[in-house]
């Protein structure tokens, strides 16, 4: 039998919550039920109603008193950087040259790629993340390893081989032609296979020659439905070097604009130091600015002005992400905790409902996959995280004084990590408890 019924407190968002009393923005059931059939949520609501619809004989998994939410989404992460995380003492460009590029060179070895892809997706699931937008290394085999592992687990993931043909060691360079050919071959093999989605991935303007940028343009024209992901405006030295390499450009964003890379499926990591013109250009094209708080703090890159971007006359679409290995934690809970602090340093707040909207539905909307994941809506894929706010002694103690759902969510965000993730379901199948130790 492929049906199962999950029972617990269910929380799913309908839209951005304006305030903690904006109850119309979410659906919360104190005793909720989710009926899953063949990987899809086919009924959601009060447990009693859903159980009636399920009928007798359906396997019921009782997760009370825990919270059931849509699986978390990480909108920007580098799977080949698991052994780069926690590398000391450098800003972006030095960090890339000293740690990241040498590490990514190891992915010439396909077996290394397969091992890290497996461990990476284990780590994602352990932390409650069911969908990522991932950068692979420059090597075609790294993307093959990632997609094969993701497909085996039936995860909905977006990924791409990075295209980079200059300003890095030979071991991590392609050429405009091989970058194009490998990308096309990977799209043909993996895009739309099961739940796999391909993202055209020029690493950033520094490591792509104008000839390679033209190849990225060609790919985006040939495959207008695909995602495009890259980096933008992370660090002052990066911005200055980029402008030297493209002296004709008005600003950093103008380079991507010139090559036709802006659009609703375009994901720009960081976007910290944007001018008003750049922010307008991103807004008008519907491009997504990806907020990577742990990375931005760790590398000393700057403070992403979340609330200003959201409220400006031409608002930005925003996603949130770990950016591991520049980021310092795999957990989207830890990420939003640091995000809260970055926003606080800008003199603003992000309330807990807004935070949990962001890492579920908000990120799904930003990645244009909200019709499939990011909510507990009927007809969507059953990617679900089960959260336990009593996971540690310190959390249990603090929970003694917690009275509202908002307080519980904020506690989960502030003190929670993988220990607070009791279980994860991927397309209806338990995926955390089944990871080999
Ligand atoms: Zn990145």
């Amino acid at each position: 039998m492929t049906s199962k019924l999950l029972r617990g407190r269910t929380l799913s968002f309908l839209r951005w919550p304006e305030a903690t009393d904006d109850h119309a923005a979410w659906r919360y059931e104190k005793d909720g039920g989710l009926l899953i059939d063949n990987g899809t949520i086919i009924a959601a609501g009060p447990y009693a109603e859903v159980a009636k619809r399920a009928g007798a004989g359906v396997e019921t998994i009782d997760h009370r008193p825990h919270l059931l939410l849509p699986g978390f989404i990480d909108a920007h992460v580098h799977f080949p950087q698991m052994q780069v995380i926690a590398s000391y003492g450098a800003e972006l460009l030095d960090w890339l040259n000293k740690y990241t590029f040498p590490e990514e060179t190891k992915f010439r070895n396909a077996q290394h790629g397969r091992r890290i892809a497996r461990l990476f997706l284990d780590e994602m699931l352990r932390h409650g993340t069911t969908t990522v937008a991932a950068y692979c290394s420059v090597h075609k085999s790294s993307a093959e390893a990632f997609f094969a592992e993701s497909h085996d687990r039936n995860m909905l993931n977006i990924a791409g081989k990075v295209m980079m043909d200059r300003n890095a060691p030979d071991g991590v360079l392609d050429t405009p032609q091989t970058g194009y050919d490998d990308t096309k071959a990977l799209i043909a093999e993996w895009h739309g296979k099961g739940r796999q989605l391909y993202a055209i991935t020029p690493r950033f303007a520094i490591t792509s020659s104008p000839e390679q940028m033209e190849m990225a343009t060609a790919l985006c024209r040939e495959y207008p439905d695909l995602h495009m992901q890259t980096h933008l405006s992370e660090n002052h030295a990066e911005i200055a070097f980029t402008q030297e390499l493209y002296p004709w450009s008005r600003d950093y964003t103008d380079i991507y604009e010139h090559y036709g890379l802006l659009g609703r499926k375009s994901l720009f990591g960081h976007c910290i130091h944007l001018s008003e013109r750049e922010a307008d250009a991103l807004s008008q094209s519907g491009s997504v600015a990806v907020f990577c708080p742990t990375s931005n703090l760790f590398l000393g890159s700057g403070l992403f002005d979340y609330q200003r971007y959201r409220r400006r006359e031409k608002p930005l679409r925003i996603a949130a992400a770990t950016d591991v290995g520049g980021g310092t934690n795999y957990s989207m809970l830890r990420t939003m905790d640091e995000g809260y602090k970055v926003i606080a340093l800008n003199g603003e707040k992000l309330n807990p409902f807004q935070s949990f909207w962001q890492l579920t539905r908000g990120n799904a909307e930003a990645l244009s996959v909200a019709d499939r994941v990011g909510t507990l809506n009927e007809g969507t894929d059953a990617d679900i995280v089960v959260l336990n706010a009593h996971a540690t002694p310190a959390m249990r103690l603090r929970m003694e004084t917690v009275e509202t759902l908002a307080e519980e969510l904020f506690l989960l965000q502030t003190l929670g990590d993988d220990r607070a993730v009791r279980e994860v379901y991927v397309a209806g199948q338990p995926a955390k408890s089944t990871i080999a130790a």
Side-chain angles (χ1 to χ4, degrees):
M1 171 164 303
T2 58
S3 296
K4 57 168 75 79
L5 175 57
L6 307 188
R7 184 176 192 178
R9 293 184 294 136
T10 53
L11 176 65
S12 177
F13 293 92
L14 307 172
R15 59 165 169 78
W16 164 263
E18 294 294 342
T20 51
D21 61 358
D22 184 10
H23 298 281
W26 60 84
R27 189 166 170 198
Y28 173 61
E29 299 289 349
K30 277 185 179 155
D31 186 5
L34 299 172
L35 181 60
I36 298 168
D37 185 59
N38 211 8
T40 302
I41 298 171
I42 59 166
Y47 173 75
E49 286 175 23
V50 177
K52 202 179 294 173
R53 179 149 161 210
V58 170
E59 179 196 5
T60 301
I61 301 164
D62 193 347
H63 282 296
R64 289 176 299 168
H66 304 314
L67 272 168
L68 273 56
L69 276 86
F72 299 151
I73 297 171
D74 183 345
H76 180 125
V77 61
H78 299 258
F79 103 80
Q81 295 178 13
M82 292 190 85
Q83 293 180 310
V84 174
I85 196 169
S87 292
Y88 174 78
E91 286 200 358
L92 175 66
L93 298 179
D94 290 338
W95 175 85
L96 286 169
N97 289 318
K98 191 171 171 189
Y99 299 114
T100 306
F101 293 152
E103 179 63 29
E104 292 194 9
T105 303
K106 292 188 202 162
F107 287 75
R108 280 186 296 202
N109 177 340
Q111 196 170 345
H112 180 69
R114 285 194 292 274
R115 172 174 180 243
I116 300 297
R118 172 171 57 81
L119 295 174
F120 175 80
L121 291 176
D122 279 354
E123 212 54 46
M124 288 292 117
L125 294 170
R126 232 193 287 285
H127 286 82
T129 298
T130 49
T131 289
V132 299
Y135 288 64
C136 305
S137 77
V138 73
H139 314 95
K140 183 171 177 238
S141 62
S142 77
E144 285 164 348
F146 180 90
F147 281 122
E149 192 64 42
S150 172
H151 185 60
D152 273 359
R153 296 165 194 242
N154 201 15
M155 292 177 76
L156 192 163
N157 283 319
I158 302 164
K161 161 211 131 58
V162 294
M163 300 162 69
M164 50 192 293
D165 68 344
R166 65 172 175 181
N167 291 320
D170 287 346
V172 286
L173 293 183
D174 56 10
T175 69
Q177 193 61 48
T178 62
Y180 174 86
D181 292 344
D182 287 351
T183 298
K184 270 193 88 133
L186 286 163
I187 293 168
E189 183 168 6
W190 290 106
H191 182 70
K193 182 169 180 177
R195 305 178 77 201
Q196 309 315 307
L197 298 172
Y198 196 87
I200 297 161
T201 311
R203 185 177 203 118
F204 66 154
I206 288 178
T207 50
S208 284
S209 65
E211 294 72 30
Q212 181 156 74
M213 295 296 266
E214 279 168 21
M215 289 300 198
T217 307
L219 287 164
C220 287
R221 287 210 183 115
E222 283 175 68
Y223 304 99
D225 292 341
L226 262 60
H227 290 87
M228 192 289 306
Q229 57 183 352
T230 190
H231 296 83
L232 171 61
S233 198
E234 177 173 1
N235 162 293
H236 292 298
E238 171 215 18
I239 295 166
F241 188 28
T242 304
Q243 296 244 232
E244 270 174 46
L245 293 170
Y246 291 90
W248 49 261
S249 62
R250 286 174 289 180
D251 47 50
Y252 196 163
T253 303
D254 191 33
I255 300 164
Y256 297 130
E257 223 174 326
H258 173 84
Y259 289 105
L261 302 184
L262 273 54
R264 292 194 62 79
K265 288 191 138 177
S266 297
L267 314 173
F268 292 97
H270 306 298
C271 298
I272 298 170
H273 309 286
L274 300 176
S275 68
E276 292 305 307
R277 193 210 77 77
E278 292 181 279
D280 285 351
L282 292 179
S283 174
Q284 276 159 354
S285 59
S287 301
V288 176
V290 187
F291 179 29
C292 307
T294 72
S295 171
N296 299 161
L297 293 170
F298 180 73
L299 294 173
S301 301
L303 304 175
F304 182 96
D305 206 345
Y306 186 101
Q307 296 291 17
R308 187 175 65 82
Y309 285 161
R310 204 180 59 74
R311 288 199 201 109
R312 67 197 300 279
E313 196 177 320
K314 293 176 182 165
L316 295 190
R317 296 174 70 210
I318 296 173
T322 63
D323 191 31
V324 161
T328 52
N329 204 288
Y330 294 94
S331 166
M332 289 306 294
L333 295 172
R334 306 281 359 99
T335 297
M336 293 314 290
D337 178 44
E338 297 301 305
Y340 175 86
K341 297 169 192 172
V342 168
I343 292 164
L345 283 166
N346 280 320
E348 300 272 4
K349 290 287 178 279
L350 187 71
N351 80 48
F353 287 109
Q354 293 165 343
S355 246
F356 278 79
W357 170 86
Q358 181 70 70
L359 52 83
T360 57
R361 184 174 191 134
N363 273 359
E365 287 180 357
L367 298 184
S368 303
V369 291
D371 56 330
R372 301 170 66 179
V373 295
T375 70
L376 301 177
N377 292 351
E378 293 171 8
T380 64
D381 301 352
D383 290 354
I384 295 156
V385 61
V386 182
L387 296 176
N388 174 14
H390 295 83
T392 68
M395 291 174 80
R396 271 197 295 284
L397 181 65
R398 180 63 175 85
M399 275 299 284
E400 289 177 12
T401 62
V402 162
E403 291 174 351
T404 66
L405 178 61
E407 290 172 346
E408 181 181 357
L409 293 174
F410 198 55
L411 168 71
L412 277 162
Q413 172 183 304
T414 308
L415 293 182
D417 52 30
D418 54 322
R419 293 169 295 178
V421 175
R422 183 74 162 223
E423 183 57 285
V424 170
Y425 291 89
V426 172
Q429 296 301 319
K432 177 163 179 171
S433 55
T434 54
I435 293 172

